[in-house]
Amino acid sequence: MAEAKAVEPVAAPKGKKTLLIVAIIGVLLLLVLIAIGVVGFLLLRTPADVGSDVVASQSEEAPKKKEKKKADHGAPPVFEKLQTITANLNSAEEEAVVQTDVVLELPDAETQTALKNILPRVQAEVIKLIRSKTPADLRTVAGTDKLAAEIQGTVNRLLDVTDKDEGVQSVNFTTFIMQ
């Protein structure tokens, strides 16, 4: 009988190991079935279903391009910071230098991409505008506002923008130091 009692405790852990192995196999089978379901769902979605969504959205957007731009006014604006500009001012009486950071507010990322493509020309034109000003022009708020409007017009001209809802929405000076 002592031998029988010794055999029973050995048999019990073996049964627990079998139960554990069966549970692990069951969990693995469940995970495999879930993975097959996800792959099946993604593969059963035909390109025609995806393509028809794209074609339908393109056909709706094409005639409503102007309306889309107006509807995008709810979207957050995009800002593009130009490099820090340091320029001498146009003055015979005194030597003056302006250092400024200009940030342009744009309506969308598409305009930002167009601006980045011509950024060296934009920066050169902005420097020319600043250099054409006298220290007296830029000492007043009205003078800097006028400069901002001129920069906006120049950049919009470079972007070939005709509609005021397109192109640069505003010009912001984040720093403006004149010495």
Side-chain angles (χ1 to χ4, degrees), residues 13 34 41 50 69 90-91 111 123 137 141 164 169 179:
I34 291 172
F41 173 75
V50 174
K69 290 199 182 257
N90 185 15
S91 176
T111 307
Q123 290 173 330
D137 292 340
V141 174
K164 76 174 193 172
Q169 304 297 305
Q179 295 179 350

Side-chain angles (χ1 to χ4, degrees), residues 6-124:
V7 172
E8 286 181 25
V10 173
K14 199 171 198 180
K16 288 183 181 179
K17 285 183 183 178
T18 306
L19 181 62
L20 183 62
I21 290 173
V22 170
I24 291 174
I25 290 173
V27 169
L28 289 175
L29 283 174
L30 182 64
L31 290 174
V32 168
L33 288 174
I34 291 172
I36 289 172
V38 169
V39 170
F41 173 75
L42 294 175
L43 291 178
L44 290 178
R45 226 175 124 191
T46 62
D49 293 340
V50 174
S52 66
D53 293 342
V54 172
V55 170
S57 66
Q58 286 177 352
S59 65
E60 291 173 3
E61 289 177 10
K64 299 179 183 180
K65 189 173 184 180
K66 296 257 181 192
E67 290 177 20
K68 180 185 172 198
K69 290 199 182 257
K70 290 179 183 177
D72 282 348
H73 286 286
V78 177
F79 292 95
E80 181 66 28
K81 182 181 180 293
L82 302 181
Q83 290 180 354
T84 300
I85 296 171
T86 305
N88 294 322
L89 295 178
N90 185 15
S91 176
E93 297 87 38
E94 62 182 307
E95 288 189 25
V97 176
V98 168
Q99 183 175 11
T100 185
D101 288 320
V102 178
V103 178
L104 305 176
E105 180 182 353
L106 306 168
D108 53 27
E110 183 179 302
T111 307
Q112 183 181 29
T113 302
L115 178 71
K116 284 182 179 181
N117 289 337
I118 61 167
L119 201 56
R121 286 179 33 204
V122 168
Q123 290 173 330

